[in-house]
Amino acid sequence: MLLGIKRVLLEQGAESTSFGSRILERLPGADVEFISHPRQGNGASVEKQTLQLGSFPGQTLKKCPGTKGYLCCGYQILHIGTNCPMDCSYCILQAYLNQPYLRVFTNLEEKLAELAAHLDAHPEFLFRIGTGEFTDSLALDPVTGWTDLLLPFFEKRRNALLELKTKSVHTERLLDSSCRKRIVVSWSLNSPYVVSREEHGAPSIRQRLEAARRCQQEGFVVGFHFDPLVPHPGWKEEYRKTVDLMAEHLVPENVIWISMGCMRYLPELKSIIRRRHPKSMVLNGEFIPGLDGKMRLFKPVRIEMYAYMAEMLVQWHRDAGLYLCMESPDIWQETLGWTPEDSDGLSRFLDDRARRFFG
Ligand code: SF4
């Protein structure tokens, strides 16, 4: 069974799109059940051996929801599916989604046509687009073939780039493709301690960095996201191991950006983590309510972690495109020694890096 998928729930018409029918062809042994409406349920109940195929009726592109007081990177989300086969204890999707299955949208070709019209209507704007907000961008790619459609689409665009955020090592289709332009492949990284205790079913840091190295060697631009940074016993030594592995595996000049964000959670996620992951330590430590309603690590802890990580990463590469995810200007100043002042400033910083790498 490819990626352990045993059952497919087919919403009306999903099999008649060419994208949907190709997915079904890749899952010949799965039980297929036709359903008249998307099945609802609970994102925390988790049924990752079932794949629900159907259309996404909503807006093609959505701005990442920023919050007053925190600087947002201006990234836009192309919604291609929800949920992923891994099971990280801290995953926000457990509280966010109202159904437990893997879900893939089969009207992607139609959505890309809408997206093309939108991009063409705004030639003055640079769109940084990602698919990794509600799912992992590559974990399901062997089944979905997302990248078969997305890479050729973005390669032709002058005013957009696609960031594929992942913890997986499913780069097979990327590497088979001849497209390289306007694609950033980025990995979520953490300390080996956090990976082994909290990121269930995810590849090790070494495996992720081996995949990143291969992508670099094959001409892809890469990025990294340390999110969520989690304080734990020996965290300094453990995070150093990851940065040492980065130095061992990567060519720094080809890294477009590295972001950092500390552990934060919606209040409703707390009981889900306690129930589903009773051995998790991501909730240990002092949390306070933030301006966005999420619980955030106590500010001095965040500052200590960012400053320590930044020092190590800058030692490795002075121009690594370091930025913070949803933090306030004073934390930027204190930990990175500069601030983009506001979300527009952060967008300009990332746009400039994108232009430097892709023209
Ligand atoms: S890889 Fe991402 S989407 Fe998948 S469980 Fe972990 S945090 Fe959630």
Side-chain angles (χ1 to χ4, degrees), residues 261-276:
C262 275
M263 177 65 198
R264 54 206 180 278
Y265 61 90
L266 289 169
E268 50 271 41
L269 187 60
K270 188 172 183 174
S271 59
I272 297 172
I273 295 177
R274 292 259 187 262
R275 179 170 57 78
R276 292 200 60 240

Side-chain angles (χ1 to χ4, degrees), residues 326-337:
M326 300 300 282
E327 282 293 357
S328 53
D330 60 315
I331 296 224
W332 272 80
Q333 192 62 53
E334 200 158 339
T335 59
L336 300 186

Side-chain angles (χ1 to χ4, degrees), residues 48 83-88 90-93 134-136 167:
K48 299 193 181 205
N83 225 323
C84 101
M86 294 169 269
D87 197 19
C88 305
Y90 54 75
C91 181
I92 194 171
L93 299 179
F134 300 109
T135 183
D136 181 287
K167 286 190 180 91

Side-chain angles (χ1 to χ4, degrees), residues 23 57 83 136 298-299 309:
I23 294 175
N83 225 323
D136 181 287
F298 191 43
K299 196 166 164 182
M309 294 298 297

